């Protein structure tokens, strides 16, 4: 379904460092859309309580690696907002 919750879609991408716990912390901290996460830099993510430098690096690298896939999914109508 194109209306799956943002957290479910994000988890399904299999990005290192983005398990259910970290996804919940990030969305609670205001990162509630894919665009916000794609625009985030390491220093933005480590401001979130519970997200350390190594985890932030993994998230940024993983999102960057999947950028084309994410764009394709967006164009297909998949929701990337909380």
């Amino acid at each position: 379904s194109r209306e799956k919750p943002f957290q479910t879609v994000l988890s399904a991408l299999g990005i290192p460092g983005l398990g259910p716990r970290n996804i919940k912390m990030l969305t609670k901290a205001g990162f509630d859309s894919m665009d916000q996460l794609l625009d985030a830099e390491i220093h933005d993510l480590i401001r979130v309580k519970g997200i350390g430098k190594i985890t932030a690096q993994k998230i940024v690298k993983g999102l960057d690696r999947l950028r084309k896939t994410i764009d394709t999914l967006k164009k297909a109508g998949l929701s990337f907002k909380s």
Side-chain angles (χ1 to χ4, degrees), residues 11-81:
S11 182
L13 290 172
I15 297 167
L18 277 180
R21 183 176 151 270
N22 285 349
I23 291 169
K24 187 174 183 178
M25 286 189 295
L26 287 166
T27 54
K28 198 172 188 180
F31 292 96
D32 58 359
S33 76
M34 186 58 74
D35 289 334
Q36 287 177 315
L37 283 173
L38 288 171
D39 290 342
E41 296 182 20
I42 293 166
H43 68 269
D44 299 318
L45 298 179
I46 60 175
R47 289 186 185 132
V48 177
K49 185 177 180 172
I51 304 289
K53 185 177 180 181
I54 292 171
T55 299
Q57 289 171 334
K58 287 179 184 179
I59 293 169
V60 169
K61 185 176 180 180
L63 286 168
D64 193 48
R65 185 176 46 82
L66 290 174
R67 195 172 290 264
K68 285 183 182 180
T69 301
I70 292 166
D71 286 343
T72 301
L73 293 171
K74 277 189 202 176
K75 288 175 186 169
L78 195 63
S79 176
F80 280 105
K81 293 182 180 172

